[in-house]
Amino acid sequence: MTELLSAPPRVITVGAALLEEALAAQAIETIPVSWRPPLPGTEDALAAVLADPRRAAANATAVRRLTSAAPQLVGVRRASELLPGRTFLHAGPPITWERASGPLRGALIGAMLLEGLAADEAEAERRIGTVTLEPCHHHRMVGPMAGVVSPSMWMLEVRDAEHGGSAYCSLNEGLGKVLRYGAYGPEVLERLRWMEEVLGPVLAAALARTGPIDLRGIIAQALQMGDELHNRNRAATSLLLRELAPAIVEAAPEQAAAVLRFINSNDHFFLNAGMAASKACADAARGIPGSTMVVAMARNGTDFGIQVSGLGDRWFTGPAGVPDGLYLGAYGPADANPDIGDSTITETCGLGGFAMAAAPAIVRFVGGEVADAVNATRSMYEITLAEHPAYQIPGLDFRGAPVGIDVTLVARTGILPVVNTGIAGRVAGTGQVGAGLVKPPVEAFTAALTALAEAL
Amino acid sequence: MSDLVLLRRGVYHDSVSLMRVSSSLSALPGVQVAVVAMATDLNVGLARDLGFDVPDADPSALLAAIRADDADSAAAELDRLLEALSARSAPGEAAQAPPRTTRAAARSRPADLVLVSVPGEHAFAEAMDALEAGLHVMVFSDGVSLEQEVALKRLADERGLLVMGPDCGTAVVAGAGLGFANVLKPGPVGVVAASGTGAQQVTCLLDLAGVGVTHVLGVGGRDLSAEVGGLATIRALRMLDEDPGTELIVLISKPPSAEAAAAVEEVASSLRTPVVRALLGDTGTDLTAATGEALRALGRPVPQWPSWTPPAGSFTGGGPLRGLYAGGTLCEEARRIAGRGEFTDFGDDTYTRGRAHPLIDPSLRLEALGRCRAGDVVLMDVVLGHAADPDPAARLAPAIAAGPAQVVVALVGSDGDPQGLRRQAEALTRAGAWVFASNAQAARFAKGTA
């Protein structure tokens, strides 16, 4: 402990610039902090939560569990095996049909038609009250965009080989007019039926042959190949396809070409596997008393909600924002629905917007220049607890991705998570209209912080 | 002449930087007054007292109140100055933004110590970051709750780290002057101090006597309370005991709780290094006497402490005594020695919330000096060193010369201080002040018994 007195100290200065200047004038090495006051109204809760003696150890445990999880793709299962009867799932925090936005309503209508619970749109709307709506997150599942899961759908099954948990995500339908963006036209339903009858069973048979596929490894490699695993999944999809292709051919020679062509035509096929992997990792970090780490961020098209490790399954929500992004064709901001989907589970685990610096090919989404992507990732180190030991970013000298969002750091810096997202059309049935960035509502984080303080 | 009141959200600068902006603006031709500060209750009140119509504001907003012939061009100058402040901390050529928390800074590069001077209600978070990163911390900020101080010092104790402060105004660590620090010769004395200006008085007198220091470790004024239990004092004593350069430890403390006193005494008496105890307060000693004791312990003679008298006029004294102090311990000491008069400590929390310390910003004390009447005797301290007013006499001397009161100054500084001890003394005496290097002597003189 006398080390401090053995040589002139290197001093981190936080506060008055004058004191930093006085040290610099003595040729003392300084590291100035660019400090600003915390978010207004958070002072008392911050003081209480930061003084919680459990916090540091709880957060260390939480982020260690999140980053040491070993998600493996082990199979595909029918949702009906995993859900109670007459239950449909949706993305984000809990919501009713009455408050649901266009794309979520569209996807629910599509699911009613798919399951044969209604013959047309009008009947589907009338009979929606006969099914129970619950968030995917309440069933260890995640769903992209509307995230609607109905009993006949196939779910990717991911197991955490380190801690033993399981997580599930539906199969990706591709781009354009698809159910997850609220489209429910004939071609949408036709594709879903093909997935139900062909894609699901073939994948099940193929995965039985391959054995568990190491998703942590694929994600780590894909980051080094230009994916950030949310808005770009091209490398990861290619890597997964390489793993699966021989087994698909062996398992189903008749259907292999169609299945491989389907996967190959969809750069986002891996997204759902990456989401289930992220869900498995985040769930490994749940329920640690005193932890201030975020274990879920999810949107239902109306609300943006988060869950925090130390606060059980409670949701803290704020209004979902409209993404700022690039639009397809003639669509524009007026066509955009507020933010929707469970895919922010990737950001929760250090991917997506947090790993933007790994994906220079899609910097158009974050302002157009590679430096913007680098800055986006760098800023996330300010609000995260750790750097991921396996997910590395080549452009930052292979620094680990920023992971483990700490609500106290969000309140202290006012820096919100950077979230990449697709943009759904606001009118049910439209489908995807663009992609970009969205700002989570600050009140979700301040409400969680207040609840942490109240729980002391 | 028109008033302009602006409130800006999302902008933050520390009180010292904003004080510089205020004075730059006030110095512009045609500007009568300019207040640029964070919109704390104190600062909003200050602007309202000046006649500005200020709406209720969020304290995290930046308040600018300007009265000028041409308010628009003053506002343009304000923007330029604020921009220059932001540019100073702007990213370098690597476009890497500076860290936003102590935690992020500690992850960015190796460091040994964190100097926290954010507003007191926010200091805990930064100090916790320091301890969690395994770094020693000096909390310069005041207004940190006792509960938070206890939490910080207990955690530091578990981790083998030192928490200096809160409200630790000065420290010297291996030659680095932190906070308000005098330029001191290297030497054999290590200081553990519960009082910043107390430590400055003792070390400056030692320096004037030709004796230097190894380190000066501040512990904060409440360290010896029953609640804190002397945790920082004990750690600082042990650190100095293990420091090969420290031959004598001077322990400057305020009246302690019985338990803390016993705990500290047990450690102090077990050290290899001799400890001179300077207990301040009603039953204790004064800083000048304690310095003498330290010199005697080193076998050094105690010199005549320097003093300077004005070229003309003689001290009549006897009138109402007004103490206008920047240093809390110096104020207490002078009040006790004088035994009468009205003393104000402008370094107290109530005067520093949202504005710079009086060692940097003399305005409140100058206003108080301006209110003194003929026959009054004013006793005040001027503290030199790093981070203090770069030329305190420049504004104080004209105010002394212009006022009717007789002024006695305790000038705390070393020969190495950037302001120039003797140059300051001469400027103050030319303005008519009696100047003493010893606060105790200044107080006795002002009282009329020197």
Side-chain angles (χ1 to χ4, degrees):
Chain A
M1 67 183 185
T2 50
E3 280 164 32
L4 177 67
L5 305 184
S6 60
R10 296 160 295 184
V11 184
I12 292 172
T13 56
V14 53
L18 176 78
L19 300 185
E20 190 272 327
E21 289 161 18
L23 284 166
Q26 300 171 65
I28 299 296
E29 183 184 336
T30 62
I31 308 170
V33 173
S34 177
W35 184 86
R36 276 176 244 169
L39 292 170
T42 60
E43 294 83 355
D44 294 344
L46 264 179
V49 172
L50 291 175
D52 181 357
R54 301 171 302 172
R55 178 184 49 86
N59 279 340
T61 301
V63 77
R64 189 178 58 246
R65 286 181 67 88
L66 190 155
T67 57
S68 65
Q72 298 180 336
L73 179 59
V74 296
V76 289
R77 306 252 309 260
R78 289 252 188 206
S80 55
E81 296 173 36
L82 302 161
L83 291 180
R86 292 192 83 83
T87 300
F88 285 9
L89 304 185
H90 62 80
I95 192 165
T96 57
W97 170 266
E98 288 68 32
R99 292 187 67 240
S101 65
L104 177 52
R105 288 186 174 197
L108 288 168
I109 290 167
M112 292 291 284
L113 300 175
L114 180 71
E115 300 296 333
L117 296 173
D120 57 30
E121 182 185 334
E123 191 187 358
E125 281 201 35
R126 214 168 45 243
R127 293 177 50 82
I128 190 72
T130 63
V131 296
T132 307
L133 289 185
E134 286 191 18
C136 291
H137 268 288
H138 292 190
H139 295 271
R140 292 180 295 160
M141 296 186 186
V142 278
M145 303 312 288
V148 167
V149 174
S150 63
S152 68
M153 293 181 186
W154 288 92
M155 310 296 288
L156 295 167
E157 180 176 22
V158 170
R159 276 191 69 74
D160 169 9
E162 179 69 20
H163 307 103
S166 297
Y168 304 86
C169 185
S170 52
L171 302 179
N172 196 290
E173 312 157 71
L175 292 170
K177 285 203 185 300
V178 284
L179 186 79
R180 70 176 188 280
Y181 281 97
Y184 54 84
E187 76 273 32
V188 176
L189 297 178
E190 192 181 324
R191 190 188 306 108
L192 286 170
R193 292 207 176 91
W194 176 83
M195 290 168 70
E196 185 187 330
E197 286 155 17
V198 177
L199 180 63
V202 170
L203 285 175
L207 283 165
R209 287 176 174 267
T210 58
I213 293 177
D214 175 15
L215 295 178
R216 180 180 164 101
I218 290 183
I219 290 169
Q221 290 177 62
L223 281 171
Q224 304 200 7
M225 297 165 72
D227 282 357
E228 42 66 89
L229 282 306
H230 188 168
N231 270 1
R232 189 180 200 267
N233 283 283
R234 177 173 286 193
T237 298
S238 306
L239 291 169
L240 180 62
L241 188 61
R242 266 172 47 174
E243 296 270 354
L244 287 172
I248 288 173
V249 171
E250 285 170 3
E254 299 292 308
Q255 293 142 327
V259 167
L260 291 172
R261 201 170 284 124
F262 177 81
I263 296 174
N264 181 50
S265 69
N266 175 11
D267 281 340
H268 284 297
F269 186 80
F270 185 84
L271 172 65
N272 298 38
M275 284 173 58
S278 297
K279 173 66 175 162
C281 296
D283 276 2
R286 275 181 183 262
I288 296 164
S291 171
T292 59
M293 192 182 85
V294 174
V295 291
M297 294 196 288
R299 312 89 91 199
N300 57 30
T302 304
D303 317 301
F304 188 118
I306 68 167
Q307 293 180 311
V308 173
S309 176
L311 293 169
D313 293 333
R314 291 172 64 184
W315 288 97
F316 302 93
T317 61
V322 173
D324 176 16
L326 299 170
Y327 288 86
L328 304 169
Y331 292 121
D335 302 307
N337 194 71
D339 196 21
I340 187 166
D342 286 334
S343 53
T344 30
I345 196 70
T346 56
E347 275 83 9
T348 309
C349 291
L351 302 171
F354 283 52
M356 202 59 216
I362 57 165
V363 295
R364 302 187 306 284
F365 291 132
V366 289
E369 291 180 24
V370 172
D372 299 320
V374 169
N375 288 339
T377 293
R378 280 218 175 106
S379 68
M380 292 301 95
Y381 290 106
E382 289 282 355
I383 59 168
T384 48
L385 292 164
E387 298 178 10
H388 203 292
Y391 300 170
Q392 296 171 334
I393 298 175
L396 296 181
D397 281 329
F398 294 91
R399 191 173 178 188
V403 64
I405 301 160
D406 181 343
V407 294
T408 69
L409 291 172
V410 172
R412 285 173 62 188
T413 61
I415 297 174
L416 291 165
V418 174
V419 171
N420 288 353
T421 189
I423 308 174
R426 65 186 320 137
V427 176
T430 307
Q432 182 174 13
V433 297
L437 285 182
V438 71
K439 261 195 171 31
V442 70
E443 53 266 51
F445 296 87
T446 54
L449 181 69
T450 304
L452 282 162
E454 283 166 358
L456 290 173
Chain B
M1 199 59 66
S2 61
D3 279 10
L4 181 72
V5 175
L6 300 167
L7 283 164
R8 298 219 178 127
R9 301 201 49 137
V11 184
Y12 175 81
H13 296 289
D14 67 75
S15 55
V16 181
S17 300
L18 291 177
M19 190 194 79
R20 291 174 177 173
V21 171
S22 304
S23 24
S24 300
L25 282 178
S26 303
L28 289 178
V31 176
Q32 192 189 62
V33 60
V35 177
V36 184
M38 300 313 289
T40 59
D41 290 348
L42 181 86
N43 288 330
V44 169
L46 203 70
R48 285 178 181 154
D49 290 349
L50 288 166
F52 287 102
D53 183 15
V54 185
D56 285 336
D58 185 321
S60 67
L62 186 142
L63 163 70
I66 303 168
R67 183 167 299 143
D69 292 335
D70 180 357
D72 287 344
S73 64
E77 179 63 9
L78 169 72
D79 285 337
R80 203 190 58 73
L81 290 166
L82 290 177
E83 223 164 82
L85 278 185
S86 308
R88 218 177 41 77
S89 60
E93 81 285 6
Q96 189 151 358
R100 292 284 310 280
T101 60
T102 298
R103 175 193 166 82
R107 283 161 117 192
S108 73
R109 269 195 280 156
D112 306 292
L113 176 70
V114 179
L115 171 53
V116 178
S117 59
V118 299
E121 64 271 34
H122 306 302
F124 181 69
E126 306 305 320
M128 281 298 276
D129 277 1
L131 297 177
E132 286 176 6
L135 301 176
H136 303 277
V137 59
M138 167 168 167
V139 182
F140 179 90
S141 320
D142 57 10
V144 176
S145 75
L146 180 61
E147 193 186 359
Q148 291 180 331
E149 177 174 351
V150 170
L152 289 171
K153 287 184 172 173
R154 289 206 178 136
L155 181 62
D157 196 49
E158 281 169 29
R159 308 220 167 171
L161 296 169
L162 177 67
V163 174
M164 295 191 272
D167 198 11
C168 176
T170 189
V172 178
V173 172
L178 298 143
F180 296 122
N182 300 95
V183 177
L184 302 169
K185 300 177 187 71
V189 177
V191 177
V192 177
S195 149
T197 47
Q200 287 186 278
Q201 169 79 88
V202 169
T203 53
C204 285
L205 290 178
L206 284 172
D207 199 84
L208 289 168
V211 173
V213 299
T214 48
H215 316 279
V216 178
L217 305 179
V219 296
R222 294 181 304 215
D223 193 62
L224 296 181
S225 64
E227 292 86 347
V228 185
L231 287 173
T233 303
I234 289 168
R235 180 154 309 276
L237 284 171
R238 291 215 161 106
M239 289 170 82
L240 289 176
D241 191 41
E242 285 177 27
D243 174 52
T246 301
E247 295 166 25
L248 176 77
I249 297 171
V250 176
L251 170 61
I252 302 170
S253 63
K254 295 182 176 176
S257 71
E259 307 92 304
V264 168
E265 194 44 47
E266 189 186 328
V267 172
S269 56
S270 73
L271 302 180
R272 289 159 298 184
T273 316
V275 180
V276 169
R277 296 152 181 82
L279 173 65
L280 311 179
D282 290 337
T283 57
T285 181
D286 68 59
L287 297 160
T288 306
T291 310
E293 204 188 324
L295 287 169
R296 280 189 292 276
L298 289 165
R300 302 282 296 246
V302 181
Q304 278 282 342
W305 301 118
S307 62
W308 297 264
T309 49
S314 61
F315 186 73
T316 49
L321 184 57
R322 301 195 192 285
L324 307 179
Y325 271 80
T329 297
L330 299 176
C331 186
E332 262 311 301
E333 178 177 82
R335 187 207 312 267
R336 211 173 45 248
I337 290 171
R340 67 180 178 89
E342 187 188 319
F343 282 75
T344 309
D345 170 14
F346 287 92
D348 190 78
D349 282 13
T350 43
Y351 297 98
T352 58
R353 202 157 285 265
R355 63 180 300 141
H357 193 277
L359 291 188
I360 303 171
D361 180 357
S363 4
L364 291 180
R365 283 212 297 171
L366 290 176
E367 280 169 30
L369 182 60
R371 287 193 296 269
C372 290
R373 285 190 286 266
D376 286 358
V377 175
V378 173
L379 181 55
M380 61 197 305
D381 58 345
V382 172
V383 182
L384 308 181
H386 289 298
D389 189 330
D391 187 6
R395 287 178 69 184
L396 187 53
I400 291 171
Q406 292 199 303
V407 178
V408 180
V409 173
L411 180 60
V412 177
S414 76
D415 280 322
D417 281 335
Q419 294 89 347
L421 176 70
R422 286 164 212 274
R423 196 171 67 73
Q424 295 294 323
E426 279 157 22
L428 293 169
T429 50
R430 267 204 307 277
W434 285 263
V435 179
F436 295 82
S438 153
N439 183 52
Q441 288 184 357
R444 287 191 189 98
F445 179 83
K447 179 188 175 188
T449 58

